[in-house]
Amino acid sequence: MTPGWNDPPLLSQQSANPRSRTLLNKRVAYPLSKPTSVESSQMLPPANLMPLPATLQIPKATDTNESKDNCDLNSLTKVLDIFNNLVNDIPADIKKSEISKRVTIMKTMWEENKLTAQVHNDVLKLAECLKAGEIDKANEIYASVSVNSAALCSPWLLGIKYIIHHCKSS
């Protein structure tokens, strides 16, 4: 029978050199006798080693959480002020109550820490862009948030889209 295209080559055992290999999976026997004084001195580490590094002190988690919460609440206040001012500028015949409801949903999710820090930062940047009149940049940030955090932001993101659309048209 002829070998197929994917058959391994035949190894002939007669031509192989019987090499002595180091067996790395074998255990070394533990010495049964007690070490002598010479052996014990060899086991001590050398005296010229560098000292061990000092342990780092990690700040308490409560300190960082409190400052983070204060920063988040300040950001939320800024965002809500900007969005509420923009919603108040919208004429009553347009979905003003729908937009206000979605902004309230965003506020609730923000206060319950259901939104990530990235979403917090993006929404703050978006609100500041709208306040400064940079509608195109705000639209880019909106698109980024809607793509990257669609599952988190879908309940309220449409309200932000309405605000951007109103700012663009006025």
Side-chain angles (χ1 to χ4, degrees):
M1 176 179 208
T2 59
W5 65 271
N6 63 349
D7 289 340
L10 296 174
L11 298 176
S12 64
Q13 295 295 338
Q14 291 108 8
S15 67
N17 293 339
R19 294 183 268 169
S20 63
R21 291 179 37 195
T22 305
L23 298 175
L24 298 176
N25 62 347
K26 300 293 181 189
R27 291 184 178 214
V28 178
Y30 187 77
L32 297 175
S33 63
K34 293 185 177 183
T36 61
S37 62
V38 174
E39 290 175 352
S40 63
S41 66
Q42 290 174 351
M43 297 176 99
L44 294 175
N48 60 356
L49 284 179
M50 299 282 292
L52 294 175
T55 58
L56 299 175
Q57 291 187 1
I58 300 172
K60 294 180 182 177
T62 56
D63 295 341
T64 57
N65 287 342
E66 288 176 8
S67 62
K68 181 181 172 186
D69 289 342
N70 290 338
C71 180
D72 286 346
L73 291 177
N74 290 339
S75 300
L76 176 63
T77 306
K78 288 179 189 177
V79 167
L80 288 176
D81 288 343
I82 294 170
F83 285 161
N84 288 332
N85 288 338
L86 292 171
V87 169
N88 290 335
D89 293 343
I90 296 175
D93 59 332
I94 302 177
K95 305 175 181 179
K96 190 171 184 175
S97 63
E98 178 71 21
I99 297 170
S100 296
K101 184 175 91 173
R102 291 186 184 268
V103 170
T104 305
I105 292 171
M106 180 200 66
K107 175 188 171 203
T108 305
M109 290 180 76
W110 193 311
E111 289 173 341
E112 294 174 354
N113 290 327
K114 291 184 179 179
L115 303 176
T116 63
Q118 182 65 39
V119 172
H120 292 179
N121 292 335
D122 288 344
V123 171
L124 179 62
K125 288 178 194 173
L126 190 148
E128 289 172 347
C129 287
L130 287 175
K131 184 178 180 181
E134 300 172 354
I135 308 302
D136 293 333
K137 187 173 180 182
N139 208 10
E140 289 175 9
I141 296 171
Y142 165 80
S144 170
V145 170
S146 64
V147 169
N148 296 334
S149 306
L152 286 174
C153 303
S154 62
W156 52 267
L157 205 53
L158 188 60
I160 307 303
K161 183 177 181 180
Y162 285 138
I163 294 173
I164 292 171
H165 180 69
H166 172 68
C167 290
K168 192 181 287 189
S169 64
S170 60

